[in-house]
């Protein structure tokens, strides 16, 4: 197994892997994937604009990739993907470590965004020493369908939404918490009341 920078000879394989990444992601989200040709064009554009793209090779066959973008010294992991048959062999870790070696020559940090539903991805990045920091994405539905496609979770008493995914892997306690939280807000619960309840419960536990 080796990890090498993307070159022209591996561009078609990178385009295929990039397409597989989004087909898998859209499947988890319950969304229809985009057109394969559009993903291939995107992959080619990223290779031309100078993003850091590393390819994992197994006997000269591309089995995974990582793409890191950089804007004004800010380095961000955009995608990482390993073909299903090759997972669990440390290839993802190898891709990340090789990317970090390159980024270290230019900056002290690398960033990424992970959807909160993607429990496996969050666990993977935490194992590699990454911490959850301060991004919350906001949106406004300007043409509501009335369909419930979100879970309600919270941050310091503020209710916010995360997409419902196919094959979610929440524990029973997490599912119960989400259910109770949604009921709490539906019945008019406030941030102040939520924090008061939580603080009281934590104080009681520590006594």
């Amino acid at each position: 197994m080796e990890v090498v920078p993307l070159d022209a000879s591996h561009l078609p394989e990178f385009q295929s892997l990039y397409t597989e990444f989004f087909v898998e992601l859209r499947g988890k989200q319950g969304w229809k994937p985009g057109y394969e040709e559009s993903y291939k064009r995107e992959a080619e554009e990223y290779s031309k604009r100078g993003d850091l793209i590393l390819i994992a090779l197994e006997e000269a066959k591309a089995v995974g990739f990582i793409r890191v973008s950089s804007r004004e010294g800010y380095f961000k992991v955009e995608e990482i993907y390993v073909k299903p048959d090759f997972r669990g062999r440390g290839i993802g870790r190898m891709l990340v470590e090789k990317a970090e070696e390159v980024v270290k020559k230019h900056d002290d940090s690398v960033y990424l965004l992970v959807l909160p539903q993607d429990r496996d991805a969050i666990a993977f990045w935490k194992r590699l020493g990454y911490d959850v920091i301060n991004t919350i994405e906001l949106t406004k539905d300007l043409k509501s369908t009335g369909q419930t496609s979100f879970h309600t979770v919270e941050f310091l008493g503020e209710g916010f939404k995360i997409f419902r995914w196919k094959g979610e892997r929440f524990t029973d306690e997490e599912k119960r918490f989400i259910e109770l939280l949604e009921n709490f807000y539906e019945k008019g619960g406030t941030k102040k009341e939520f924090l008061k309840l939580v603080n009281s419960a934590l104080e009681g536990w520590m006594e």
Side-chain angles (χ1 to χ4, degrees), residues 195-207:
L195 290 175
K196 184 176 180 180
L197 288 168
V198 172
N199 289 342
S200 177
L202 289 173
E203 288 169 353
W205 182 86
M206 288 185 288
E207 288 179 354

Side-chain angles (χ1 to χ4, degrees), residues 132-138 152-162 177 181 185 191-192 194-195 198:
V132 178
I133 56 171
N134 55 8
T135 297
I136 294 178
E137 184 178 27
L138 302 180
T152 299
V153 292
E154 66 81 33
F155 177 73
L156 293 178
E158 293 285 356
F160 67 97
K161 309 289 186 180
I162 61 174
F177 174 73
L181 191 66
Y185 286 118
K191 173 180 178 177
K192 182 177 180 180
F194 179 84
L195 290 175
V198 172

Side-chain angles (χ1 to χ4, degrees), residues 121-169:
I122 293 171
F124 168 78
W125 289 107
K126 283 192 169 183
R127 286 197 299 271
L128 294 182
Y130 286 73
D131 293 316
V132 178
I133 56 171
N134 55 8
T135 297
I136 294 178
E137 184 178 27
L138 302 180
T139 185
K140 181 179 182 180
D141 188 356
L142 300 178
K143 192 175 181 180
S144 177
T145 62
Q147 297 178 344
T148 302
S149 58
F150 299 93
H151 291 299
T152 299
V153 292
E154 66 81 33
F155 177 73
L156 293 178
E158 293 285 356
F160 67 97
K161 309 289 186 180
I162 61 174
F163 280 111
R164 296 178 185 269
W165 273 26
K166 290 185 176 181
E168 291 174 332
R169 298 178 61 182

Side-chain angles (χ1 to χ4, degrees), residues 51-114:
D51 285 2
L52 171 62
I53 302 172
L54 302 176
I55 303 293
L57 300 175
E58 172 74 17
E59 297 180 355
K61 178 182 178 181
V63 299
F65 78 92
I66 188 170
R67 180 173 74 91
V68 180
S69 66
S70 62
R71 297 291 180 275
E72 300 178 353
Y74 170 89
F75 291 85
K76 177 183 173 186
V77 176
E78 300 288 355
E79 302 96 20
I80 182 171
Y81 177 76
V82 176
K83 294 177 76 68
D85 290 346
F86 293 86
R87 293 173 187 172
R89 296 170 49 179
I91 297 173
R93 174 182 287 273
M94 188 182 302
L95 284 164
V96 172
E97 290 175 348
K98 290 291 185 180
E100 289 175 348
E101 289 177 11
V102 177
V103 172
K104 282 179 185 178
K105 298 175 183 178
H106 306 280
D107 198 6
D108 297 330
S109 302
V110 61
Y111 298 83
L112 64 138
L113 296 177
V114 180

